[in-house]
Amino acid sequence: MLVPTAVPDISRERRNIMRKKKKSPAAPFAAGMICGGTAALITVALGALLLSLFGASAGAAGAAAIAASAVGSFVCGRTAGIIRRRDGLKIGALCGALFFIPLLLLSLIFGTAGSFLLPIKALICLAFAAAGGVAGVNKE
């Protein structure tokens, strides 16, 4: 004689397992760096296109570099803020610092570390990434 047994609800167990899965604390920063770097590359490409179309001088390339730093760091902070969903200012500022590290390393490699634009780029990266982090957290 067979006794009917209760069949476990597999979908409920699967949902509980998925909820317990922890994300890496570095995931928002990595995603932000990837998205911010992509946005910066696109901005630099558009700036180079505009400079070549209008025949601007080499001095105007600094404006394109600063614009790329601003756009890239904002997207970096916003992406991390969207993923993290709390502490937008702190997350954004940390993303800005992380976004500035490659700029600093490249300026050391190419010998422009003594440039007066380096501290300006650092402030731009921090400010725009912090604003992006706040915007990302407050996104509906």
Side-chain angles (χ1 to χ4, degrees), residues 18-137:
M18 295 301 280
R19 284 185 191 142
K20 292 178 185 176
K21 185 178 178 182
K22 294 283 183 176
K23 292 182 181 177
S24 170
F29 303 110
M33 290 294 290
I34 290 169
C35 292
T38 304
L41 284 175
I42 291 170
T43 306
V44 165
L46 289 175
L49 178 67
L50 289 174
L51 289 174
S52 66
L53 286 177
F54 295 117
S57 65
I66 289 176
S69 297
V71 170
S73 59
F74 183 82
V75 171
C76 179
R78 182 172 164 87
T79 304
I82 288 172
I83 293 172
R84 188 75 187 265
R85 302 301 298 165
R86 66 178 192 275
D87 299 331
L89 191 64
K90 183 171 64 173
I91 296 302
L94 187 56
C95 274
L98 290 174
F99 193 81
F100 180 70
I101 290 172
L103 297 176
L104 179 65
L105 292 176
L106 287 173
S107 68
L108 288 172
I109 290 171
F110 291 115
T112 60
S115 171
F116 71 94
L117 283 178
L118 199 61
I120 293 170
K121 283 184 185 178
L123 289 174
I124 286 173
C125 285
L126 286 173
F128 275 84
V134 171
V137 168

Side-chain angles (χ1 to χ4, degrees), residues 3-19:
V3 178
T5 59
V7 177
D9 186 9
I10 295 174
S11 62
R12 182 182 303 162
E13 289 178 16
R14 183 178 296 159
R15 276 185 268 144
N16 287 339
I17 290 172
M18 295 301 280
R19 284 185 191 142

